Amino acid sequence: GGVVPGGGAIEMEVSRHLREAALSHTSKSQLFIKAFAKALEVIPRQLCNNAGFDATDVLNKLRQKHAAADGSGKNFGVDVNTGGVVDTYEAFVWEPSLVKLNAIASATEAACLILSVDETVRNPKSENPQDSMPAMGGRGGMGGRGRGRGRGMRR
C-alpha cells in the first residue's frame, strides 16, 4: 500500500471514469452508474462545506480539471486553504490507499445492502390485508409467543 492524492481527488477521478462508462450502457444500469458517480462527489462537496467554501463552484473547477484529455488533472482536489483546487499530490495532501479502498468498498457494500432490501417479492395474497391475516391464537396475538422472545421460560 502506498498513498493516493487526498482532498477528494480520487473520488472525482473515479466519478469521471464511471460517468464515461455509463455512456456505454443504454439500460437502467446507466442511471445507477451515474447515481453512484454523483454519490462519490459527496466527499469533495463535504470538504468544501466544512471549510466554508462554495461547493458548487469548487466541484465545477474539479470536474473541469479531471476532464483534461491528457490526464493532467487526475490529482486535483479541494484546497481547503484557498477555496480553490490544487494538485493534492504535489501539495502533500495524501491518504493511505488501503484506507481509501476500504472506504469505497464499505460504502458500496452498504449501498447494495440497502438496495437489496427494496427487492422484495410481492405476494398476491398480501394485496388484500383481510385475506392474508392468519388466525392468531390468544396471549398477545402471536400464537402464544411474543415478538422475538424465543420459546419462553420452562416451568
Side-chain angles (χ1 to χ4, degrees), residues 12 66 76 91-92:
M12 290 302 294
H66 283 268
F76 274 76
F92 303 102

Side-chain angles (χ1 to χ4, degrees), residues 3-7 9 75-81 86-96:
V3 294
V4 294
N75 292 337
F76 274 76
V78 178
D79 185 351
V80 295
N81 295 318
V86 67
D87 183 330
T88 53
Y89 199 81
E90 292 295 322
F92 303 102
V93 179
W94 301 335
E95 296 185 57

Side-chain angles (χ1 to χ4, degrees), residues 3-72:
V3 294
V4 294
I10 292 298
E11 289 82 0
M12 290 302 294
E13 189 65 12
V14 172
S15 176
R16 181 185 69 81
H17 281 284
L18 287 173
R19 287 180 196 277
E20 287 177 7
L23 297 176
S24 66
H25 294 268
T26 56
S27 62
K28 282 184 187 176
S29 60
Q30 182 182 50
L31 297 173
F32 301 140
I33 295 168
K34 283 185 176 181
F36 193 91
K38 184 179 178 184
L40 286 171
E41 293 182 0
V42 166
I43 301 298
R45 179 178 298 279
Q46 194 62 50
L47 287 171
C48 292
N49 290 338
N50 290 351
F53 298 119
D54 180 21
T56 304
D57 185 45
V58 175
L59 282 175
N60 284 334
K61 289 178 185 174
L62 282 174
R63 283 190 200 102
Q64 192 175 21
K65 286 286 187 185
H66 283 268
D70 62 354
S72 60

